Amino acid sequence: MPEPVWGTFSEQFDITFLRDGRDVKPLLQQRSFDILFLDLFLYGEDGLQLLRGLHYPQGALPALCASLTNGVLPAVILTSAAPNFSFAREGLLYGACDYLLHPFEQQTLAECLERVCRRQDSQSPAERLLTELLATLTPCLGTDAFPGRLAQCMEQILACAPTPIQADHQCRVFFRMLVKETFERYSWLSNFLTWTECEGIEEIRDNDIHLVQSTCMQKGNWLNSTLVALCPATQDQTVNEVMVWLLNHVDAPGFQREVAQTFYLSPSALSERFAKAAGLSYHAYLQRIRLHRAAFLLRNTDWKLYEVCAQMGFRDASYFSRQFRGQMGVSVTEYRKGPGQDWQI
């Protein structure tokens, strides 16, 4: 039942309460709301399930956005009677803007509503749309769902922009937001790519919205494929953590014994878990990320080939060149001098 504290705000806000979480999405398709409070323990479909459904590609977002005013989802605030911060963190990753423990006092709710209203007032409808779309796209980073969701986001931007010039501008802004969010989420990515390589949209001078859209999708999918290659998601959390550690320390030797000890494993246990979870051996994965790091050095430094080999732990330049061609599809020489070589990753 709604807490008495809500009555204080009934004169300022038109408030609707639902008991069953399964009624939320149908109601959002019928009526427009500015703020949505979702409890983690709703009957029928809990708040986190609803949030995933609204912001994840398998959910109802495309049809739902089309029925919302300006195509924008309401601001979502998660509530719970139990302080489960792992759920809260996941909710924030899926686009929630705040998390409250109840029963909460009038002052707590007032401060929360003020924060949300201030945030909404500071953004134009177009900015809110881009922010909401980005919140639905970022959970797909590093997955096979990303290309389809990115295409949906681009179509939504084009459908909501009143003019081709505004659509051009919003696509560019959205892609810059995506690049910024990706580098913030994956701090290790700067070992393999630069912001300039990922953006590059400013090079398109014409206001050709279809060219801008296709370029954003091409570069976005290339960025995502790089994430998939460097950090494939597995069901083994320890293996995921080992990958992130190696990506952050790609210039270090990466000896299996020392890395295994860092994660309180034996070398054989690490090798077995890695092969089972990632589908490739520890050494094959280590060589893959080192070749990607070598490609970064070839693109962004004037180092000699033997210097790159030494940095990445390859003693034989001929062996390195063969492995590089196998990974990148071109020779070291072609890769370094060819235009658009970064697209080979």
Side-chain angles (χ1 to χ4, degrees):
M1 292 295 292
E3 299 176 47
V5 68
W6 287 98
T8 310
F9 302 92
S10 59
E11 295 183 1
Q12 299 173 260
F13 298 93
D14 179 14
I15 303 174
T16 300
F17 293 97
L18 292 175
R19 288 177 176 269
D20 194 326
R22 291 170 293 189
D23 296 329
V24 174
K25 281 185 280 190
L27 181 63
L28 289 176
Q29 291 176 321
Q30 297 169 11
R31 295 179 54 188
S32 176
F33 291 87
D34 297 305
I35 304 173
L36 180 64
F37 284 82
L38 293 177
D39 195 86
L40 290 177
F41 301 100
L42 275 173
Y43 173 78
E45 187 173 6
D46 64 48
L48 208 52
Q49 288 177 307
L50 282 164
L51 197 56
R52 290 195 195 102
L54 296 178
H55 286 277
Y56 207 63
Q58 282 78 12
L61 178 66
L64 184 60
C65 266
S67 67
L68 292 174
T69 304
N70 297 320
V72 179
L73 290 167
V76 176
I77 299 166
L78 291 176
T79 67
S80 174
N84 192 325
F85 293 105
S86 63
F87 283 120
R89 180 181 180 277
E90 185 175 354
L92 294 173
L93 288 175
Y94 277 104
C97 61
D98 212 333
Y99 176 70
L100 295 181
L101 286 173
H102 61 74
F104 33 78
E105 299 177 352
Q106 177 182 340
Q107 182 64 24
T108 303
L109 182 57
E111 292 172 354
C112 177
L113 291 170
E114 182 181 354
R115 285 195 300 272
V116 174
C117 292
R118 188 165 58 243
R119 170 191 167 193
Q120 291 181 329
D121 289 342
S122 66
Q123 290 184 314
S124 67
E127 290 172 333
R128 286 186 59 200
L129 172 63
L130 298 185
T131 301
E132 295 291 349
L133 289 178
L134 184 65
T136 70
L137 180 61
T138 49
C140 306
L141 279 167
T143 72
D144 294 336
F146 181 88
R149 184 70 201 109
L150 177 60
Q152 291 172 350
C153 289
M154 287 295 167
E155 291 299 328
Q156 188 71 29
I157 292 171
L158 266 61
C160 294
T163 68
I165 293 178
Q166 287 175 305
D168 176 294
H169 173 71
Q170 289 176 22
C171 282
R172 294 170 189 259
V173 170
F174 180 75
F175 190 75
R176 286 195 294 268
M177 291 168 62
L178 171 63
V179 172
K180 181 177 183 292
E181 178 71 15
T182 304
F183 272 85
E184 288 178 352
R185 280 176 173 247
Y186 302 95
S187 58
W188 50 261
L189 189 57
S190 58
N191 289 329
F192 304 90
L193 297 174
T194 66
W195 280 51
T196 304
E197 289 175 316
C198 294
E199 289 183 340
I201 302 300
E202 300 307 322
E203 298 171 2
I204 304 175
R205 299 299 181 185
D206 297 332
N207 290 323
D208 184 342
I209 182 55
H210 297 294
L211 178 59
V212 172
Q213 180 189 22
S214 63
T215 303
C216 288
M217 291 180 59
Q218 184 182 17
K219 285 221 164 190
N221 291 333
W222 163 72
L223 177 60
N224 186 66
S225 66
T226 303
L227 294 176
V228 173
L230 294 176
C231 195
T234 77
Q235 299 300 314
D236 190 322
Q237 186 59 33
T238 299
V239 171
N240 294 338
E241 291 174 1
V242 171
M243 288 183 183
V244 172
W245 190 92
L246 290 172
L247 291 165
N248 278 312
H249 302 84
V250 66
D251 290 330
F255 296 125
Q256 185 170 338
R257 180 179 297 277
E258 284 75 5
V259 174
Q261 289 176 349
T262 301
F263 291 89
Y264 306 101
L265 296 171
S266 68
S268 59
L270 175 60
S271 180
E272 181 179 345
R273 291 179 66 168
F274 217 96
K276 182 179 179 180
L280 74 167
S281 69
Y282 173 86
H283 290 292
Y285 173 76
L286 184 60
Q287 178 162 290
R288 175 192 292 181
I289 66 173
R290 284 181 168 174
L291 288 170
H292 278 270
R293 174 61 174 170
F296 175 87
L297 296 174
L298 290 170
R299 293 194 312 271
N300 295 285
T301 72
D302 57 359
W303 288 12
K304 303 296 184 183
L305 178 59
Y306 71 86
E307 294 176 307
V308 174
C309 290
Q311 179 69 19
M312 291 296 100
F314 291 90
R315 298 180 180 179
D316 187 339
S318 297
Y319 174 78
F320 168 80
S321 297
R322 290 195 300 272
Q323 296 302 312
F324 188 89
R325 178 186 282 276
Q327 182 71 47
M328 303 301 171
V330 294
S331 69
V332 172
T333 303
E334 292 170 329
Y335 185 87
R336 193 163 213 177
K337 72 180 182 180
Q341 68 274 17
D342 52 306
W343 295 88
Q344 301 296 329
I345 295 181

